[in-house]
């Protein structure tokens, strides 16, 4: 999601980029996946379609698939309207890594907001975290997030040179409390002047 402060303390969403990969029920960890599996077993279906930037092919060692397609997709979005995918795109744009390709002319991002972000462990992608990421960043994570534990989010946060963070009492969702919105507005306003 890309946001711009339209007025002090108000955010305007310019656009939201949906991940291009359709996920199967078994690509998603957590309670929703268990509920969908139980519904499928009983003959019921859940009609929601889930999208992701990538899916886990193997947990140990971590191997992901679909990330290459997401990067190609986001290069198109960047060329047409300026979207992003968290830390991976920050690093690829800053350091002009091979994964981005020579044809991408988009400059590094001005800032990034990462909710429940974490580092990929897939050995094909760990290089994006080897050099410090200079893009100003706000990391939002919940102390009760059982899908992306706080230590994983903090590990990603520490890959950035000057990160800001906001920890909330909650699970794996983007919180909409006034405290979080104020923190988000304050962070984004720095880049709209």
């Amino acid at each position: 999601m890309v946001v711009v402060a339209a007025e002090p303390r108000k955010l305007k969403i310019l656009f939201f980029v949906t991940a291009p990969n359709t996920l199967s029920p078994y690509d998603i960890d957590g309670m929703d996946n268990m509920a969908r599996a139980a519904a499928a077993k009983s003959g019921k279906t859940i009609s929601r379609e889930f999208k992701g930037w990538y899916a886990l092919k193997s947990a140990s060692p971590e191997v992901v698939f679909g990330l290459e397609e997401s990067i190609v997709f986001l290069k198109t979005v960047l060329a047409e309207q300026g979207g992003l995918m968290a830390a991976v795109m920050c690093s690829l744009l800053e350091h002009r890594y091979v994964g981005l390709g020579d044809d991408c002319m988009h400059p590094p991002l001005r800032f990034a907001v990462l909710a429940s972000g974490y580092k990929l462990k897939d050995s094909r992608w760990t290089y994006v975290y080897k050099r410090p990421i200079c893009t100003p960043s706000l990391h939002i994570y919940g102390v009760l997030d059982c899908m992306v534990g706080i230590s994983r989010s903090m590990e990603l946060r520490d890959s950035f040179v000057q990160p800001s963070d906001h920890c909330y009492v909650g699970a794996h969702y983007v919180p909409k409390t006034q405290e979080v919105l104020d923190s988000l507005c304050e962070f984004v306003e720095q880049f709209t002047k």
Side-chain angles (χ1 to χ4, degrees), residues 117-186:
Y118 60 93
K119 285 182 171 184
L120 288 170
K121 302 291 184 197
D122 184 322
S123 62
R124 295 173 302 152
W125 293 99
T126 55
Y127 73 92
V128 300
Y129 312 107
K130 296 248 186 257
R131 294 172 63 184
I133 302 170
C134 297
T135 302
S137 58
L138 174 62
H139 302 260
I140 301 172
Y141 42 85
V143 295
L144 303 176
D145 189 338
C146 61
M147 291 181 73
V148 179
I150 195 169
S151 63
R152 291 179 71 199
S153 288
M154 292 172 77
E155 180 184 21
L156 176 63
R157 179 201 64 193
D158 294 343
S159 297
F160 285 76
V161 173
Q162 294 183 336
S164 300
D165 63 357
H166 186 95
C167 186
Y168 63 95
V169 178
H172 190 75
Y173 58 86
V174 178
K176 296 170 183 73
T177 64
Q178 191 61 50
E179 180 184 8
V180 174
L181 292 175
D182 287 345
S183 181
L184 181 60
C185 285
E186 184 179 318

Side-chain angles (χ1 to χ4, degrees), residues 5-180:
E7 300 172 26
R9 296 289 179 223
K10 290 185 180 178
L11 295 178
K12 176 182 176 187
I13 298 173
L14 297 179
F15 63 91
F16 182 86
V17 179
T18 301
N21 300 307
T22 301
L23 303 178
S24 72
Y26 302 103
D27 293 328
I28 306 166
D29 290 332
M31 297 304 287
D32 188 60
N33 187 35
M34 292 185 336
R36 292 191 316 142
K41 197 174 195 178
S42 70
K44 299 177 185 173
T45 59
I46 296 176
S47 61
R48 294 187 299 181
E49 180 177 77
F50 290 93
K51 297 287 195 169
W53 297 112
Y54 59 87
L56 200 59
K57 191 174 193 176
S58 164
S60 184
E62 181 179 273
V63 177
V64 300
F65 66 93
L67 190 56
E68 293 89 351
E69 292 82 359
S70 291
I71 290 171
V72 169
F73 169 72
L74 285 172
K75 282 173 53 178
T76 302
V77 172
L78 286 169
E80 293 174 4
Q81 54 193 337
L84 68 122
M85 178 183 57
V88 171
M89 290 306 289
C90 290
S91 181
L92 289 174
L93 287 168
E94 275 183 35
H95 304 302
R96 296 295 172 195
Y97 282 126
V98 174
L100 192 59
D102 294 333
D103 60 336
C104 183
M105 303 306 288
H106 197 279
L109 300 174
R110 290 180 60 201
F111 65 91
V113 176
L114 301 96
S116 296
Y118 60 93
K119 285 182 171 184
L120 288 170
K121 302 291 184 197
D122 184 322
S123 62
R124 295 173 302 152
W125 293 99
T126 55
Y127 73 92
V128 300
Y129 312 107
K130 296 248 186 257
R131 294 172 63 184
I133 302 170
C134 297
T135 302
S137 58
L138 174 62
H139 302 260
I140 301 172
Y141 42 85
V143 295
L144 303 176
D145 189 338
C146 61
M147 291 181 73
V148 179
I150 195 169
S151 63
R152 291 179 71 199
S153 288
M154 292 172 77
E155 180 184 21
L156 176 63
R157 179 201 64 193
D158 294 343
S159 297
F160 285 76
V161 173
Q162 294 183 336
S164 300
D165 63 357
H166 186 95
C167 186
Y168 63 95
V169 178
H172 190 75
Y173 58 86
V174 178
K176 296 170 183 73
T177 64
Q178 191 61 50
E179 180 184 8
V180 174

